[in-house]
Amino acid sequence: MPTTSHPPRYAATRRYRAALAAAASLLLPLMTAAPAVADNPADGKGAPKTPPPRMSTVGGELLGRPGPQVQLGPGAPQLPQGLSGRSWLVADAESGEILAANNAHWRLPPASTLKMLFADTVLPKLPRDKVHKVVPTDLEGMGAGSSAVGLHEGSSYTVHDLWLGVFLRSGNDAVRTLATMNGGIPQTVKDMQAHADELQAADTHVVSPDGYDEEGQVSSAYDLTLFARSGLQKADFREYCSTVTAQFPDEEKKGEKRTSSTIVNTNRLLTGQGVPAYKGMAGVKNGSTTNAGNTFTGVAQHDGRKLLVTVMNPEKSEQYEVYTETAKLLDWGFEAAGHVKPVGMLVPPKGTAGKSGDGSGRPSADRTQASVAGSGGGMWTAVGIAGGALAALAVAGFIVHRRHPLPDLVRKKR
C-alpha cells in the first residue's frame, strides 16, 4: 500500500511521567455529566452553526469551552491553518492526554462513526465462526440510501463475514443482521447506550445501531474517541478496522459453487484512494450522512507514539476534506507531543477507575481483550498492541504493551 504522506519532525518520545495518575486524578471533580438537553443541541435534524456556550466538562474544564483549546509550550508548532471541522480532538491513545481540541463535547449527529460503539458493544458477544442465514426481517427498517455490503436473503454468512461488511463497507445491512443476532434492534440500542454510559460518553444518545440520521441521535468528538479507544482493546476489533481488502461471499445459488467478491475499506487514509494514504494509519471508522456531514476517527502510530484524531463535519466543501483535516491534525500531534500541556484527558470506563489490572500492577488481558477464534496463522495487531491490549490503569487512562512496532503494511484479508 503506498504511503505518500510524510511524517513531520517528531518530538522525542516521552517516558510516562510518574505524576500522570496524580494529574489525572485532579480532573475527577471536573468529570460532570453532560446536560440532558444542551443549550444549543444538534438534535439529529441538522447541526447548528455555532457551538453552545457551555458544554460538558468530562475530562477537563477546558473541554467545555467553545472554540480551539490548546496550551502551547516552548518549541510547540502552531495548530494547522484552515481547519473547518465543527468539532475535532487530538489525543494520545496510550496516556489519554488530549493535546488539543475544538468543541470537544459539541453534541452532533455522528453518522457511521457510531458503528464503533456498535462493534465495541456487540462484537464480544457473537463467535466469529457462527453462521447466520439472512431472512427478510433482518433487513427491515434500513434507511433510504443506506450504505450496504450487499447481503442476500436466503444466503448464509459467518459473523466474521458480517463484521468485515460493517468495518470495510459500513454496511447497514450487516449491522442490522448482527443486531438481530444480538436480540433485535431495540435490545442492541439499549446495550449500546448502556455501554456508552459505562465509558462515560455522556454526550451520546443512541437511536439506531448503524448511525443513520435519526431525531435525537447525537455524539461528540470526545465520545467517538472514547469508543475508538475502547474498541482498540479488542484484537478482533483491531483486525477488522485495519483490514484494507477482503473477500466477501456472493449470493448462494442452488447447484452452483459459491463465489466471492473483493471489498475495499472506505477509510481513505488507510487505502490511499482519493487522498494520500497516511503513514502508520491503522483504522478506525469514517461516516457520512445528510445531517452529520462527514465524520472520521483515525488512529496512527509514528516512532512508537500512537495518536487518535476525530473530526466531525468540516464546513469546507472540498472532497475528502475530513481526511485532509485529520492528516493535518495527526501531523501536528506527532510534532507537538512533548511540547504542549494537555487540555484534558480521555476518562477511563466507570468500572476501571482506581483499578490496576489484576492487582499485580499489570493489566489483565482476560478482562480487556476479546477472544479471537479461528484467526489463523497470526494476527496483525493495530497500533503495535501485541499479545495484550489497551488496558485500564487507574484514573490515568490506558497503557499499551510495546512489544512490536507497527507494520509498514496493514492487513489484507484473504
Side-chain angles (χ1 to χ4, degrees):
M1 186 183 83
T3 53
T4 54
S5 289
H6 299 285
R9 295 171 288 122
Y10 303 125
T13 302
R14 294 175 299 162
R15 294 185 178 277
Y16 288 112
R17 297 186 297 274
L20 180 59
S25 66
L26 295 176
L27 294 172
L28 286 175
L30 302 174
M31 294 178 185
T32 57
V37 179
D39 289 341
N40 186 13
D43 64 359
K45 294 181 179 179
K49 295 207 178 276
T50 58
R54 58 181 179 85
M55 292 171 279
S56 168
T57 56
V58 171
E61 183 179 4
L62 292 178
L63 301 180
R65 299 179 184 178
Q69 305 298 321
V70 65
Q71 300 186 101
L72 302 177
Q78 296 294 318
L79 286 172
Q81 296 295 310
L83 297 175
S84 68
R86 291 182 176 179
S87 177
W88 53 259
L89 182 148
V90 183
D92 187 302
E94 292 186 336
S95 69
E97 293 179 343
I98 298 173
L99 307 185
N102 178 55
N103 304 321
H105 284 291
W106 193 0
R107 304 173 77 197
L108 298 167
S112 288
T113 45
L114 194 65
K115 290 183 172 78
M116 295 187 294
L117 175 61
F118 170 73
D120 192 38
T121 303
V122 176
L123 196 154
K125 300 181 180 182
L126 302 174
R128 60 191 275 153
D129 56 353
K130 184 175 182 177
V131 177
H132 179 81
K133 186 174 183 177
V134 175
V135 297
T137 54
D138 292 341
L139 307 180
E140 288 180 352
M142 284 180 57
S146 286
S147 55
V149 68
L151 300 186
H152 296 274
E153 296 175 9
S155 295
S156 296
Y157 303 87
T158 65
V159 166
H160 174 67
D161 293 330
L162 296 172
W163 283 119
L164 288 172
V166 171
F167 278 92
L168 274 67
R169 301 306 303 165
S170 203
N172 289 2
D173 49 355
V175 168
R176 289 185 168 268
T177 300
L178 287 163
T180 297
M181 298 174 70
N182 185 59
I185 299 294
Q187 181 61 51
T188 299
V189 168
K190 181 179 179 181
D191 291 347
M192 290 171 64
Q193 189 65 62
H195 189 47
D197 294 344
E198 174 63 23
L199 294 176
Q200 303 199 60
D203 302 321
T204 298
H205 179 62
V206 183
V207 180
S208 69
D210 49 26
Y212 191 84
D213 286 335
E214 297 285 354
E215 184 175 353
Q217 181 151 273
V218 291
S219 191
S220 66
Y222 186 90
D223 286 8
L224 292 175
T225 308
L226 288 181
F227 302 152
R229 196 174 185 224
S230 178
L232 288 167
Q233 296 178 61
K234 301 171 177 62
D236 34 10
F237 185 105
R238 299 194 303 269
E239 174 194 358
Y240 293 129
C241 79
S242 64
T243 298
V244 178
T245 64
Q247 293 300 305
F248 193 82
D250 295 326
E251 183 179 7
E252 286 182 299
K253 297 180 180 179
K254 188 175 181 179
E256 298 182 18
K257 182 179 179 180
R258 195 173 190 182
T259 59
S260 63
S261 299
T262 300
I263 57 174
V264 181
N265 203 309
T266 55
N267 176 353
R268 295 176 183 274
L269 289 183
L270 190 67
T271 65
Q273 292 188 325
V275 296
Y278 193 86
K279 185 176 181 179
M281 175 60 53
V284 174
K285 190 72 188 73
N286 57 299
S288 179
T289 64
T290 300
N291 292 340
N294 293 298
T295 59
F296 181 66
T297 297
V299 63
Q301 173 181 307
H302 285 154
D303 296 336
R305 185 179 297 281
K306 305 160 187 75
L307 295 182
L308 281 161
V309 168
T310 295
V311 176
M312 300 185 75
N313 199 351
E315 294 183 349
K316 288 184 179 179
S317 59
E318 282 83 352
Q319 192 175 27
Y320 311 137
E321 181 66 21
V322 73
Y323 299 107
T324 299
E325 296 191 16
T326 297
K328 287 180 178 180
L329 286 167
L330 283 168
D331 281 350
W332 176 85
F334 285 119
E335 189 171 5
H339 299 286
V340 295
K341 181 180 179 181
V343 298
M345 293 287 293
L346 296 174
V347 295
K350 291 178 181 178
T352 62
K355 297 181 181 180
S356 56
D358 58 6
S360 65
R362 297 184 301 272
S364 172
D366 290 340
R367 289 209 312 267
T368 59
Q369 182 176 3
S371 63
V372 182
S375 59
M379 169 75 69
W380 180 75
T381 53
V383 291
I385 308 166
L390 289 163
L393 185 64
V395 296
F398 294 85
I399 190 168
V400 176
H401 295 298
R402 305 176 188 225
R403 296 182 183 175
H404 304 293
L406 183 74
D408 290 334
L409 299 177
V410 293
R411 186 181 182 89
K412 290 188 177 182
K413 190 69 181 175
R414 300 296 183 185

